[in-house]
């Protein structure tokens, strides 16, 4: 029985060895190396040192732990076995290779495959159209969707800006050399919206705060000759023929609308004035600027959306140089107490006041005449002020001025951006300019302020000024409450109604085509809020601001005894 079990175990342990041998290369020879015949030998396990391939015999070794000799088994080589290696087809832009053969044992390539050249018939074309803009050319192309090859294409230049329905002004020359005090001479071409002429022009920077911005305001004067001796006067928008205009960049106001639309609203307020000064009746906008959307190019390249405005100078008031008259325009040009609180103007003026025009060569009378107004504002008692104000400053214009500034939230206009004009050297008429700091827009365009922030508080018997005080406004509120409230209610139902305000702004903003707005955003991405919904902000702000103004004037009416 024991012999049977031993035989069975022997058979069981022999089966794996037999199986492994039958599926691998056959052993063909056994060798010995440095074996000591006197040693009884204690061998390690067999270790494969060489794998059989189609070019090499396999090899196994084991080592005697006592004498260090070895026993070696050599196995037969494997058969050379080839398989097909798939090639890579050619495409419309890359070469290919046909199928080849390669031994799976040794890796030898026996057939490298046939070279396949680029096959341009494999292009897959699709027509792609690039629409032109004011900045880039348009094109129609057939592009391969696989490799991007452009089969053929038809290009067209950028859109002709004169097709957009706005005047286009192009200035050829070294415009970058201009400064506020140094104009440069350029060649000017004006086309579109019924205009078509070429002439010469001078350009210089315009403004005070605005000159720090990258996109400049310009004063432009047109001439027929390069020597600048013969003015080129034209009437683009029904203002009367002139050769000087202001190109406003409106940097802080991406809507481009506040300055011009506010000025137009002021003109509409003047038109409803019962006792409008006769000198204002025939002026383009009753002694305020007006403007029109234009596109400006420099040396043939888009430079931006601008408004072409009436300059705030003598022709806006139809004044001339005339020694026989006492006509002048005094400007509050810098923010400060001198202009807000009506402090007397010293000789030589102060930095807060500038004389924009004087009809006579000697300007001393301008300061003396306005100081007369200042002394009256500061010294007259309420009864005298109420009775005699029209001898010094136009009462109705002053009330309109106060209502207007409070309405638009133009607190910047409390002490600057104010014009006072006189046609007789005695009585002064207030007017407005530079009205972009309004309807919540901060003076540098970097933020929006809360509605009503510039309004004073009507506190039972007195007024508390949160932002700033204007002495003229204070005296009017103290002495003319009934007239002020009545005038506000009249204007609120007409010029200052929410509906009318929104219509005026929407209409002006819509005057700039979408293509022009897109080009502006790409050309001047640093303009504050240009990527925001600035149009919506303005239109949404109007009713909120008007609600605050309504509340203020209701409080004023409660103070009336």
């Amino acid at each position: 029985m024991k012999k049977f079990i031993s035989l069975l175990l022997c058979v069981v342990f022999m089966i794996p060895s037999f199986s492994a041998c039958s599926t691998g290369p056959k052993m063909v020879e056994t060798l010995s190396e440095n074996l000591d015949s006197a040693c009884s030998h204690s061998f390690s396990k067999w270790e494969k040192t060489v794998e059989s391939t189609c070019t090499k015999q396999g090899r196994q070794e084991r080592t005697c732990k006592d004498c260090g000799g070895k026993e070696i088994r050599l196995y037969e080589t494997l058969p050379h076995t080839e398989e097909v290696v798939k090639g890579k087809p050619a495409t419309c832009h890359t070469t290919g290779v046909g199928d080849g053969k390669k031994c799976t044992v040794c890796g030898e390539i026996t057939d490298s495959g046939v070279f396949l050249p680029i096959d341009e018939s494999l292009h897959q074309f699709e027509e792609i159209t690039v629409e032109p803009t004011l900045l880039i050319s348009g094109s129609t192309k057939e592009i391969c969707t696989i490799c991007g090859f452009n089969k053929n294409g038809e290009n067209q230049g950028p859109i002709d800006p004169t097709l957009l329905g706005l005047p286009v002004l192009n200035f050829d020359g070294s415009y970058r050399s201009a400064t506020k005090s140094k104009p440069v001479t350029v060649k000017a071409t004006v086309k579109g919206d019924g205009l078509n002429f070429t002439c010469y022009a001078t350009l210089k920077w315009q403004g005070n705060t605005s000159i720090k911005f990258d996109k400049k305001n310009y004063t432009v004067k047109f001439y027929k000759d390069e020597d600048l001796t013969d003015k080129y006067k034209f009437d683009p928008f029904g203002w009367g023929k002139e050769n000087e205009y202001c190109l406003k960049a409106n940097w802080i106001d991406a809507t481009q609308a506040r300055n011009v639309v506010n000025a137009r609203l002021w003109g509409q307020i003047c038109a409803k004035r019962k006792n409008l000064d006769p000198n204002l009746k025939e002026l383009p906008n009753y002694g305020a600027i007006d403007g029109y959307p234009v596109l400006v190019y420099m040396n043939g390249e888009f430079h931006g959306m601008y408004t072409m405005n009436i300059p705030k100078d003598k022709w806006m008031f139809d004044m001339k140089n005339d020694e026989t008259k006492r006509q002048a325009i005094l400007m509050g040009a810098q923010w400060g107490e001198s202009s807000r609180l009506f402090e007397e103007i010293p000789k030589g003026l102060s930095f807060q006041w500038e004389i924009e025009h004087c009809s006579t060569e000697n300007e001393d009378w301008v300061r003396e005449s306005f100081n007369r107004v200042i002394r009256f504002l500061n010294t007259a008692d309420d009864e005298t002020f109420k009775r005699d104000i029209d001898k010094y400053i136009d009462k109705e214009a002053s009330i309109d001025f106060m209502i207007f500034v409070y309405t638009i939230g133009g607190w910047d206009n409390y002490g600057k951006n104010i014009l006072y004009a006189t046609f007789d050297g005695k009585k002064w008429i207030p007017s407005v300019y530079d009205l972009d700091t309004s309807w919540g827009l901060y003076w540098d365009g970097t933020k929006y302020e809360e509605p009503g922030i510039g309004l004073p508080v009507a506190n039972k018997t007195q007024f508390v000024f949160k932002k700033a005080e204007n002495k003229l406004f204070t005296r009017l509120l103290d002495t003319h409450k009934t007239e002020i409230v009545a005038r506000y209610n009249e204007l609120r139902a007409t010029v200052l109604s929410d509906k009318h305000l929104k219509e005026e702004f929407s209409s002006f903003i819509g005057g700039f085509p979408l293509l022009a707005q897109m080009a502006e955003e790409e050309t001047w991405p640093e303009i504050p809020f240009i990527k925001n919904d600035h149009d919506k902000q303005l239109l949404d702000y109007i009713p909120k601001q008007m609600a605050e103004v309504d509340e203020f004037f209701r409080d004023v009416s409660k103070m009336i005894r």
Side-chain angles (χ1 to χ4, degrees):
M1 183 65 178
K2 290 181 180 179
K3 290 182 180 181
F4 175 74
I5 292 173
S6 298
L7 180 61
L8 180 61
L9 289 172
C10 181
V11 172
V12 170
F13 282 104
M14 288 176 62
I15 289 174
S17 178
F18 178 81
S19 174
C21 186
S22 65
T23 57
K26 184 185 296 184
M27 187 176 67
V28 295
E29 187 177 1
T30 300
L31 303 173
S32 62
E33 186 179 278
N34 299 325
L35 284 176
D36 187 345
S37 57
C39 180
S40 58
H41 301 305
S42 174
F43 288 103
S44 63
K45 292 182 179 180
W46 287 102
E47 182 181 352
K48 185 185 292 184
T49 58
V50 178
E51 192 77 46
S52 291
T53 69
C54 53
T55 58
K56 294 180 180 179
Q57 284 185 315
R59 180 184 177 107
Q60 285 185 341
E61 297 179 355
R62 66 177 182 173
T63 304
C64 177
K65 298 176 182 178
D66 297 325
C67 69
K70 291 182 178 181
E71 278 192 347
I72 300 169
R73 290 176 178 173
L74 298 178
Y75 294 84
E76 65 182 355
T77 59
L78 298 176
H80 197 66
T81 305
E82 292 181 333
E83 69 173 4
V84 174
V85 179
K86 284 291 184 182
K88 180 181 70 171
T91 70
C92 55
H93 68 297
T94 59
T95 58
V97 63
D99 294 346
K101 293 180 180 179
K102 180 179 180 181
C103 176
T104 59
V105 180
C106 67
E108 180 185 0
I109 297 174
T110 56
D111 185 349
S112 61
V114 179
F115 172 76
L116 301 175
I118 291 173
D119 187 351
E120 293 185 357
S121 67
L122 297 176
H123 283 306
Q124 295 184 17
F125 289 105
E126 177 181 332
E127 188 174 281
I128 296 178
T129 299
V130 177
E131 296 294 336
T133 69
L134 290 178
L135 302 180
I136 64 170
S137 298
S139 62
T140 301
K141 303 175 180 178
E142 287 189 84
I143 305 294
C144 176
T145 58
I146 299 174
C147 68
F149 173 72
N150 182 10
K151 180 180 180 182
N152 54 54
E154 180 179 338
N155 293 328
Q156 62 184 92
I159 288 176
D160 181 353
T162 61
L163 299 177
L164 299 183
L166 294 181
V168 179
L169 287 69
N170 179 66
F171 300 101
D172 286 315
S174 56
Y175 73 95
R176 296 183 187 275
S177 301
T179 65
K180 186 172 182 177
S181 59
K182 176 188 170 186
V184 296
T185 302
V186 294
K187 192 80 173 284
T189 301
V190 181
K191 289 184 177 181
D193 200 21
L195 301 171
N196 189 358
F197 63 87
T198 298
C199 63
Y200 292 92
T202 60
L203 290 175
K204 69 175 182 177
W205 296 350
Q206 185 274 337
N208 292 315
T209 306
S210 58
I211 62 175
K212 71 178 183 179
F213 302 133
D214 293 336
K215 184 186 176 190
K216 308 297 184 188
N217 300 329
Y218 294 100
T219 296
V220 54
K221 296 182 180 181
F222 297 93
Y223 296 89
K224 294 180 181 179
D225 61 317
E226 193 171 5
D227 294 332
L228 312 178
T229 58
D230 192 3
K231 296 179 179 179
Y232 190 100
K233 293 187 176 185
F234 65 105
D235 181 9
F237 313 117
W239 301 328
K241 286 189 175 183
E242 259 302 333
N243 82 309
E244 179 180 351
Y245 296 92
C246 178
L247 290 175
K248 278 285 188 180
N250 300 296
W251 175 274
I252 72 167
D253 180 16
T255 71
Q256 295 271 330
R258 281 175 171 83
N259 187 33
V260 171
V261 174
N262 283 332
R264 289 180 179 179
L265 292 170
W266 171 254
Q268 293 167 17
I269 290 172
C270 292
K272 290 187 172 296
R273 195 173 297 156
K274 293 177 181 178
N275 297 300
L276 180 66
D277 189 292
N279 292 289
L280 301 180
K281 288 183 178 180
E282 302 303 320
L283 301 181
N285 192 29
Y286 302 95
I289 68 104
D290 197 358
Y292 196 85
V294 298
L295 303 180
V296 173
Y297 280 68
M298 296 292 188
N299 299 314
E301 294 185 356
F302 180 80
H303 193 71
M305 301 193 309
Y306 277 74
T307 57
M308 186 172 178
N309 297 353
I310 299 173
K312 60 179 193 312
D313 62 9
K314 61 184 180 181
W315 84 265
M316 186 171 76
F317 285 93
D318 194 25
M319 294 181 179
K320 297 176 176 59
N321 297 329
D322 188 340
E323 293 292 332
T324 67
K325 295 182 178 180
R326 289 291 184 266
Q327 296 182 343
I329 305 168
L330 185 64
M331 177 171 61
Q334 298 290 341
W335 177 270
E337 292 188 355
S338 177
S339 52
R340 287 191 303 105
L341 302 182
F342 286 81
E343 297 176 350
E344 285 206 33
I345 305 173
K347 287 185 178 181
L349 304 180
S350 69
F351 82 102
Q352 293 169 13
W353 294 101
E354 294 180 15
I355 295 177
E356 186 69 28
H357 170 69
C358 179
S359 61
T360 62
E361 186 174 350
N362 187 333
E363 298 179 341
D364 290 343
W365 69 265
V366 177
R367 181 183 62 83
E368 293 168 1
S369 174
F370 202 74
N371 275 340
R372 174 175 168 268
V373 176
I374 290 172
R375 285 191 289 272
F376 173 76
L377 284 175
N378 284 289
T379 62
D381 58 37
D382 286 353
E383 183 179 346
T384 303
F385 182 86
K386 190 171 184 177
R387 183 187 67 236
D388 294 339
I389 181 175
D390 258 324
K391 296 178 182 178
Y392 298 87
I393 190 166
D394 190 307
K395 179 182 71 174
E396 290 187 19
S398 298
I399 290 174
D400 284 347
F401 176 46
M402 182 192 69
I403 291 173
F404 175 75
V405 170
Y406 283 168
T407 296
I408 68 172
W411 62 269
D412 200 28
N413 300 92
Y414 282 30
K416 61 176 287 191
N417 300 342
I418 309 171
L419 299 177
Y420 295 96
T422 183
F423 292 91
D424 61 6
K426 297 179 181 179
K427 184 176 180 178
W428 292 81
I429 307 169
S431 187
V432 295
Y433 78 95
D434 205 357
L435 300 165
D436 46 5
T437 303
S438 59
W439 303 107
L441 190 62
Y442 195 58
W443 69 269
D444 63 358
T446 58
K447 66 179 181 179
Y448 295 120
E449 300 196 283
E450 291 297 317
I453 192 168
L455 289 169
V457 177
N459 188 11
K460 294 183 180 180
T461 60
Q462 63 180 353
F463 294 94
V464 178
F465 296 89
K466 296 182 294 183
K467 198 78 173 177
E469 179 184 3
N470 177 287
K471 178 59 72 68
L472 175 61
F473 296 173
T474 304
R475 297 305 312 268
L476 289 170
L477 286 168
D478 286 341
T479 58
H480 291 78
K481 294 181 183 68
T482 300
E483 292 175 64
I484 290 169
V485 171
R487 180 59 168 166
Y488 175 72
N489 290 336
E490 175 192 352
L491 295 174
R492 186 71 170 101
T494 55
V495 177
L496 300 182
S497 70
D498 288 13
K499 181 175 182 293
H500 182 72
L501 292 170
K502 286 188 173 184
E503 286 176 348
E504 288 291 299
F505 278 105
S506 295
S507 175
F508 191 86
I509 292 170
F512 283 103
L514 179 59
L515 283 170
Q517 296 177 41
M518 292 168 59
E520 179 82 356
E521 181 176 332
E522 187 171 344
T523 304
W524 301 106
E526 301 87 359
I527 288 177
F529 296 114
I530 194 167
K531 297 183 183 298
N532 293 30
D533 198 354
H534 44 263
D535 301 350
K536 185 176 184 301
Q537 182 279 330
L538 174 58
L539 297 177
D540 287 348
Y541 193 93
I542 287 172
K544 297 175 184 177
Q545 171 69 9
M546 295 311 299
E548 296 289 334
V549 181
D550 286 342
E551 183 177 357
F552 169 72
F553 283 108
R554 279 196 299 269
D555 290 342
V556 174
S557 68
K558 294 176 184 177
M559 300 170 69
I560 299 172
R561 296 174 182 175

